[in-house]
Amino acid sequence: MKQRYERILFHAKQLLPCLACIFLLLLIIKQLALDAWLAAIYRAFLPILSGVLLAFFLQPIIDRVQQRFSLKVSVMLVYIGLLAILGAFLAVLLPLLYQQALELAQLIPRWLQQLEGFLKQHHIAYDNLNTLKQNYMQEGYIIAIDSAKSVIDTLTDYGIAYIIAFFISIDMDFWKRTAKKIVPNVTRVATFYHTLSNIIYQYLAGTMLDLLFIIVSVGIVLSLYRFPNALLYAMILALLNLFPYVGATLGLILIAAVAALHYDHYPWMMFFIVWSIQQIESNIIQPLIFNRTMNVRPLLTFVFIFISDAFFGVIGVILSPIFAAVAQIVFRSYLHSKTSDKVGEWEDIWRDFDEVMAEETIP
């Protein structure tokens, strides 16, 4: 216990100077009123940053495809295939979202009317409620226009990022040759890269299978019970399941709330089946796909929610559990490459963190 405490204290002391420098830099930027200028530069460079990140995520997949095809053909297949998948996903999702928006627009006036009746019954003043109703009618179209403009701007940024990622991937041989010339200890770096590529590929493929299992199984169950927009809520539940501990609970609460509003008699059996599917996914399907449970640190996921939101907005929040998992994969791949010249596999990386840290010697 004492040795573990000393390791934690040692690494904390190493982090303190870095944190102090970051805090001092932020304070200077604030005092010189450079924050708005830096924010404008960040917005200009965001598509480039997104493109680099996208190329990083897709490169392990390209490496696998390149085992059968040339680099250019592999890049074309991966990027065109991803566009096809996104197109099919949007073709399914957008009509569902549109239908849900129409239903919500019809329900809001009824909910306001029920709330007004409740306030009248209990003799509670509701002047602010009338103001809310007027704002809902008068400003609803303004919100819709602003939302459409924001969506167009976001799609433009991600479109540029996609093109940048494509050109980075198509020139990957050039970047690898450059790295060999300027990076010291290339062998160690190569071990780290190939280990990272192996693990990220398995993680992304496994995550997609895991999400597909939730979407299909829950979607079928909700459809059998005539749940409104069953496929949409199955997708939402699958995405929420990415968040450790709280995600699955929030998904169940959402399903329960919508069911309570939609059905005259609450479908307890449907709720139980959905809960059972979640248990099967977390205790059987996920370990079967990944050979062991991921165990991404909840604190890391929580931190990446804010980081991803700051960099990529709503899309970043949705993908933050994946970013957190990849960050943990990067760190553990780095630890592996420091202690072994062999390219790591999944079982080599996902050992207990304390075991890995025990191998590290404190000077």
Side-chain angles (χ1 to χ4, degrees):
M1 186 68 182
K2 182 179 178 182
Q3 186 178 6
R4 181 180 299 181
Y5 173 76
E6 289 177 352
R7 286 201 301 268
I8 295 174
L9 186 63
F10 170 76
H11 290 288
K13 287 180 179 179
Q14 284 188 321
L15 285 175
L16 282 177
C18 296
L19 294 175
C21 291
I22 292 173
F23 177 77
L24 182 62
L25 179 62
L26 292 175
L27 185 63
I28 293 173
I29 290 173
K30 185 67 176 177
Q31 291 298 320
L32 295 178
L34 296 176
D35 46 342
W37 178 68
L38 290 175
I41 293 178
Y42 156 72
R43 285 192 294 270
F45 278 91
L46 181 59
I48 299 175
L49 176 63
S50 301
V52 172
L53 189 63
L54 180 61
F56 169 77
F57 273 102
L58 293 181
Q59 190 57 44
I61 303 174
I62 294 172
D63 289 340
R64 295 304 181 283
V65 179
Q66 197 176 349
Q67 294 175 1
R68 297 190 176 185
F69 303 97
S70 66
L71 174 62
K72 291 185 177 180
V73 173
S74 301
V75 172
M76 294 289 291
L77 288 174
V78 170
Y79 276 84
I80 292 175
L82 181 59
L83 276 180
I85 293 172
L86 287 175
F89 178 74
L90 291 176
V92 173
L93 184 62
L94 289 179
L96 294 175
L97 289 175
Y98 177 73
Q99 181 65 30
Q100 184 65 43
L102 289 180
E103 293 179 3
L104 186 62
Q106 294 173 357
L107 287 174
I108 287 178
R110 191 174 72 184
W111 288 345
L112 291 175
Q113 186 177 4
Q114 292 175 351
L115 178 60
E116 184 177 348
F118 174 82
L119 295 176
K120 280 183 178 180
Q121 181 181 356
H122 293 83
H123 306 288
I124 301 174
Y126 53 91
D127 293 338
N128 291 334
L129 181 62
N130 292 329
T131 303
L132 179 62
K133 290 168 65 177
Q134 293 175 0
N135 290 338
Y136 170 74
M137 297 298 295
Q138 295 175 359
E139 299 181 8
Y141 73 96
I142 297 177
I143 296 175
I145 292 174
D146 290 341
S147 299
K149 183 178 180 300
S150 176
V151 169
I152 292 173
D153 292 340
T154 302
L155 290 177
T156 301
D157 288 341
Y158 284 120
I160 295 172
Y162 200 80
I163 296 172
I164 291 173
F166 173 80
F167 285 117
I168 291 175
S169 298
I170 208 77
D171 277 340
M172 188 53 63
D173 284 343
F174 166 77
W175 300 115
K176 289 180 179 179
R177 289 195 304 268
T178 303
K180 289 181 180 179
K181 294 181 180 179
I182 64 175
V183 175
N185 200 358
V186 176
T187 303
R188 186 73 69 189
V189 174
T191 302
F192 167 64
Y193 170 76
H194 289 298
T195 300
L196 185 63
S197 177
N198 283 344
I199 307 305
I200 288 182
Y201 174 79
Q202 186 169 350
Y203 168 69
L204 292 178
T207 300
M208 293 303 107
L209 287 175
D210 197 39
L211 291 175
L212 188 62
F213 169 77
I214 292 288
I215 291 172
V216 172
S217 57
V218 174
I220 291 174
V221 171
L222 296 181
S223 298
L224 290 175
Y225 280 86
R226 300 181 183 277
F227 196 88
N229 296 312
L231 185 57
L232 174 63
Y233 283 100
M235 291 179 181
I236 294 173
L237 186 68
L239 291 174
L240 286 174
N241 272 25
L242 290 173
F243 294 86
Y245 299 105
V246 298
T249 303
L250 289 176
L252 278 177
I253 292 174
L254 176 64
I255 297 294
V258 175
L261 293 172
H262 181 74
Y263 295 98
D264 295 330
H265 301 285
Y266 198 83
W268 290 106
M269 182 57 68
M270 180 199 74
F271 185 81
F272 174 75
I273 294 173
V274 172
W275 176 82
S276 300
I277 290 174
Q278 285 187 318
Q279 300 307 307
I280 292 172
E281 180 271 336
S282 60
N283 296 298
I284 299 177
I285 301 299
Q286 190 182 112
L288 184 65
I289 292 175
F290 292 109
N291 297 328
R292 59 180 296 172
T293 305
M294 284 287 298
N295 288 329
V296 178
R297 304 292 173 178
L299 179 61
L300 191 63
T301 303
F302 182 75
V303 169
F304 265 84
I305 290 175
F306 296 96
I307 296 175
S308 304
D309 177 60
F311 280 95
F312 307 107
V314 176
I315 300 296
V317 173
I318 295 173
L319 298 178
S320 58
I322 295 178
F323 293 153
V326 170
Q328 190 165 309
I329 289 171
V330 170
F331 178 65
R332 295 195 177 192
S333 298
Y334 170 73
L335 290 180
H336 175 83
S337 66
K338 285 187 65 177
T339 58
S340 174
D341 293 328
K342 179 184 176 183
V343 175
E345 300 295 336
W346 187 264
E347 290 76 11
D348 300 322
I349 299 303
W350 293 108
R351 289 181 296 169
D352 183 73
F353 180 73
D354 293 331
E355 291 180 28
V356 179
M357 294 303 295
E359 297 174 3
E360 297 291 306
T361 57
I362 302 175

